[in-house]
Amino acid sequence: METLEQIKARAETAVPGARLEIIRNDSPSAQHSLLVDNAHAFAVAQFLRDDAQLRLDYCSNATGLDWPELELTEKVKVKKLVDGVEKEVEEVKKTKRPGHLEAVYHLYSMALKHGPVILRMRTEDRAEKNHLPSLTPLWRSCEFQEREIFDLYGIVFDGHPDLRRILMWDEFKDFPMRKDYVEPDDYEYEPTPHDEVLEKAKQHRPLSSAVDKDGVK
Amino acid sequence: MAPEISTGERPPRSYEVVPKTAPDGTPLESDLLEIAMGPQHPSTHGVFRMDVTLDGETVVKLKPVFGYLHRNHEKIAENVSYLGSMPYTDRLDYFCSLTNNWAYALAVEKLAGLQVPERAEYIRIITGELTRLLNHSCAVGFLLQDMGALGTPLMYAFREREKILDLFESLTGARMMCNYMRFGGCRVDLPAGWLEATKEIVGDYGRFLDEFETLLSGNEILMARTQGVGQLSAELAVNAGITGPMLRASGVDYDLRKVDKYGIYDRFSFRVPLGDHGDVFDRYMIRVLEMRESIKILQQALKDIPAGPIIDPKSKLRAFKPKAGEAYGRIECPKGELGFYLISDGGPNPYRYRVRPPSLINLTILEDMCLGHNVADVVIILGSVDIVLGEVDR
């Protein structure tokens, strides 16, 4: 298989305007990944799937990641005038990494038996701007996995045919896999729908009228 | 010329709802019936629900509903050490605890760059293939149970499973929750006499399969119930990420033991059986044939297993902290591709721990396979997927 640099170069020529970035992975696995901008992600994914040399026809794994806002502290050596003499002083530099959510796709080729090519997409933030393009129209295997990411991480996939919660129940609030998720005090409490259900049942089948007509009370 | 890759759009429905009319043309105003199969239904192999819409006996819509067994395994794993999740992987697919262990150990070994000694690789292959025998026997037994062959085939399968579980018990101390693999090897060495006992059971297994097949493979009822039912095309199977015996029953040659050659699978000679119709019968047949191949692998491995250490001396069980980075490791577990995706931030717990469950993803096309078939066929189509809810819901 081609190197990730070659794939990146070819994808950038095939999809004009796409911004791709190689994310290095320093662990012994050396599985580096491609970060793609959201506007062109679908086109790049389609290129990866349909290109004759790659033919990544199989999306094995799709998963979400949560990176909350983080304060990085770094020790920097700065030259400073201390009592009129220039000295090298260590200073703690604080930078903020903005929080974001991420979706990761592991792509393989069943036809050519190679892989993985790892594709990543990032949302702008963890609150409202949590939309990403869905890759389910390209790979059906993402259908349940993207639903699961939506369910547990709260990433909204635009273009998904059936985006609902999958593992948690529909009324559930919040996203349990996020790092700042707080468990409720009582899992078991659920308001009983009993009265509502009875009300609905009355509308559905007006019992009294049916009884009246037959003259039995 | 290579076959065209599917666009991922839903195929046209094989069955359309047409308003029923009486012979004189007046509309009958018949209704569709919506029923919930499960979550407590003997055929769903656990707590799983299918909301089925029926036109008479025919399925026109089917929506699977998950989550009854969800305990957020991934979140729990993010809060314990790497080794702390090992016993919990047993509870994913509780039929195949040893292959679950293996997949997790393989992912961690990729993440931390650990080597596995040769003897441990052999033990992994032997236990992994025994797990495949056990799982496939039961899958076939349950499938026949779903078809209405109450009791007998399943009891025969369980009789064989029991022998393998006894082997697991003498090796690991537990029949089902084995917790046996470690990062860079295995937990304990083989007890005395274990190899001989295994050789005997493996040697007899072929006879069991012959008996099983004489009773079943040519059985007219089985053929009538399964042939042409729940067909799955190769294009859709690839696009929907179907793996394992289900994929190969559709005729796609993709077995990770051959493709990735993880462990030492490249040393053994075995074939990958393929189906050509992709129906329930092919899925039944593929499992039987795979068991025969597993026996071949086992016989070679049991003959060649060397002496030596069973765990990498560099691997640390306590205070195990892999370098920051990520790794995706996958193996061919009996139900399909089981993958673990791990991200380390340098700490003692994984930052992200993701299980790629074959059982869940193999259910993606359940509706496509069931449309236009009878309700009774839904039961065997689901049986032929071979799911375990512990893995579907995690």
Side-chain angles (χ1 to χ4, degrees), chain B residues 18-281:
Chain B
V18 272
K20 297 272 190 300
T21 50
D24 62 348
T26 49
L28 281 178
E29 293 178 359
S30 63
D31 250 345
L32 294 180
L33 180 67
E34 216 173 285
I35 54 168
M37 284 179 82
Q40 309 296 342
H41 191 280
S43 77
T44 56
H45 300 221
V47 274
F48 171 60
R49 192 172 103 217
M50 291 172 283
D51 284 344
V52 193
T53 310
L54 298 174
D55 178 12
E57 277 279 304
T58 320
V59 178
V60 293
K61 194 174 144 194
L62 185 147
K63 289 283 165 221
V65 181
F66 312 94
Y68 292 98
L69 211 58
H70 180 55
R71 63 264 188 204
N72 218 338
H73 177 82
E74 294 174 4
K75 184 87 174 178
I76 293 169
E78 283 173 14
N79 292 311
V80 297
S81 68
Y82 283 87
L83 187 62
S85 298
M86 185 59 90
Y88 211 177
T89 59
D90 293 337
R91 276 91 177 154
L92 281 173
D93 171 359
Y94 39 78
F95 268 88
C96 315
S97 62
L98 282 159
T99 44
N100 296 345
N101 285 179
W102 191 358
Y104 180 45
L106 190 94
V108 176
E109 280 150 16
K110 273 194 174 173
L111 182 69
L114 297 170
Q115 297 300 317
V116 183
E118 202 165 318
R119 185 173 171 84
E121 290 281 22
Y122 271 92
I123 297 177
R124 284 181 177 190
I125 287 201
I126 293 168
T127 51
E129 292 303 321
L130 284 173
T131 307
R132 198 179 312 279
L133 283 181
L134 174 160
N135 179 74
H136 284 359
S137 314
C138 293
V140 171
F142 277 121
L143 178 62
L144 284 146
Q145 173 100 347
D146 290 344
M147 254 176 254
L150 285 178
T152 316
L154 188 62
M155 282 309 131
Y156 275 61
F158 266 41
R159 184 190 66 194
E160 298 308 307
R161 171 176 181 255
E162 209 58 31
K163 292 177 189 165
I164 297 177
L165 289 183
D166 284 346
L167 288 178
F168 288 168
E169 189 179 10
S170 70
L171 173 60
T172 69
R175 286 151 45 86
M176 290 172 78
M177 304 295 131
C178 295
N179 179 20
Y180 179 62
M181 311 269 176
R182 289 290 177 266
F183 313 137
C186 301
R187 177 158 55 89
V188 285
D189 207 348
L190 304 177
W194 194 84
L195 281 176
E196 286 67 35
T198 311
K199 266 179 201 160
E200 202 175 303
I201 286 168
V202 170
D204 284 350
Y205 219 87
R207 200 153 9 121
F208 157 69
L209 286 181
D210 291 342
E211 180 190 41
F212 207 65
E213 275 209 85
T214 318
L215 285 170
L216 296 170
S217 294
N219 185 302
E220 209 178 318
I221 302 173
L222 185 130
M223 289 207 260
R225 281 298 306 274
T226 55
Q227 288 184 347
V229 172
Q231 279 187 340
L232 174 63
S233 71
E235 289 77 37
L236 183 62
V238 172
N239 193 263
I242 308 305
T243 44
M246 240 183 114
L247 174 74
R248 294 190 283 277
S250 294
V252 183
D253 181 11
Y254 195 74
D255 186 325
L256 296 184
R257 292 176 292 174
K258 290 279 190 196
V259 176
D260 279 10
K261 298 189 177 66
Y262 60 91
I264 47 166
Y265 268 113
D266 48 345
R267 297 190 196 172
F268 303 102
S269 78
F270 63 100
R271 295 179 308 160
V272 178
L274 298 177
D276 34 41
H277 300 97
D279 56 5
V280 175
F281 185 77

Side-chain angles (χ1 to χ4, degrees), chain B residues 43 45 139 142-143 146 280 287 377-387:
Chain B
S43 77
H45 300 221
F142 277 121
L143 178 62
D146 290 344
V280 175
R287 292 205 168 91
D377 290 337
V378 171
V379 173
I380 60 168
I381 292 170
L382 181 71
S384 74
V385 180
D386 185 18
I387 54 167

Side-chain angles (χ1 to χ4, degrees), chain A residues 31 58 60 63 66 137 145, chain B residues 7 326 328 337 351-352 354:
Chain A
Q31 292 170 339
Y58 165 47
S60 160
T63 184
D66 180 21
Q145 302 192 68
Chain B
T7 54
E326 61 172 60
Y328 179 64
E337 173 187 327
Y351 183 81
R352 176 76 174 106
R354 150 87 178 158

Side-chain angles (χ1 to χ4, degrees), chain A residues 14-27:
Chain A
V15 185
R19 292 191 306 280
L20 289 156
E21 191 189 326
I22 293 179
I23 308 284
R24 309 294 301 176
N25 174 7
D26 297 327
S27 84

Side-chain angles (χ1 to χ4, degrees), chain A residues 25-31 33 49-50 55-68 97 102 104 106 108-111 113-114 116 118 120 136-145 147-148 152-153 161-162 164 166-168 175-181, chain B residues 2-3 5-11 63-64 66-68 70 72 74-75 78 110-113 236 238-243 247 252-254 259-260 323-330 337 341 343 350-357 360-361 363-365 368 392-394:
Chain A
N25 174 7
D26 297 327
S27 84
S29 74
Q31 292 170 339
S33 46
R49 190 192 69 173
D50 296 340
R55 289 192 59 191
L56 300 165
D57 49 6
Y58 165 47
C59 175
S60 160
N61 181 38
T63 184
L65 294 175
D66 180 21
W67 302 98
R97 187 193 68 187
E102 202 172 66
V104 188
H106 287 76
Y108 288 86
S109 171
M110 278 197 187
K113 303 206 167 39
H114 60 212
I118 304 166
R120 310 177 97 92
T136 305
L138 295 173
W139 292 286
R140 258 302 277 291
S141 56
C142 300
E143 185 178 335
F144 287 170
Q145 302 192 68
R147 267 178 75 183
E148 194 184 314
L152 303 180
Y153 282 93
D162 183 25
R164 291 177 291 137
I166 184 168
L167 295 171
M168 309 303 285
F175 307 106
M177 280 300 282
R178 288 199 184 183
K179 292 283 176 186
D180 52 4
Y181 172 73
Chain B
I5 302 167
S6 148
T7 54
E9 283 160 17
R10 297 269 167 92
K63 289 283 165 221
F66 312 94
Y68 292 98
H70 180 55
N72 218 338
E74 294 174 4
K75 184 87 174 178
E78 283 173 14
K110 273 194 174 173
L111 182 69
L236 183 62
V238 172
N239 193 263
I242 308 305
T243 44
L247 174 74
V252 183
D253 181 11
Y254 195 74
V259 176
D260 279 10
K323 261 202 319 189
E326 61 172 60
Y328 179 64
R330 54 179 197 161
E337 173 187 327
Y341 176 55
I343 297 185
Y351 183 81
R352 176 76 174 106
Y353 169 103
R354 150 87 178 158
V355 188
R356 187 248 185 231
L360 172 71
I361 295 163
L363 285 175
T364 310
I365 36 67
D368 304 57
V392 173
D393 290 343
R394 279 160 296 136

Side-chain angles (χ1 to χ4, degrees), chain B residues 12-18 20 55 58-60 371-373:
Chain B
R13 290 196 155 182
S14 52
Y15 183 87
E16 289 298 330
V17 187
V18 272
K20 297 272 190 300
D55 178 12
T58 320
V59 178
V60 293
L371 290 183
H373 287 295

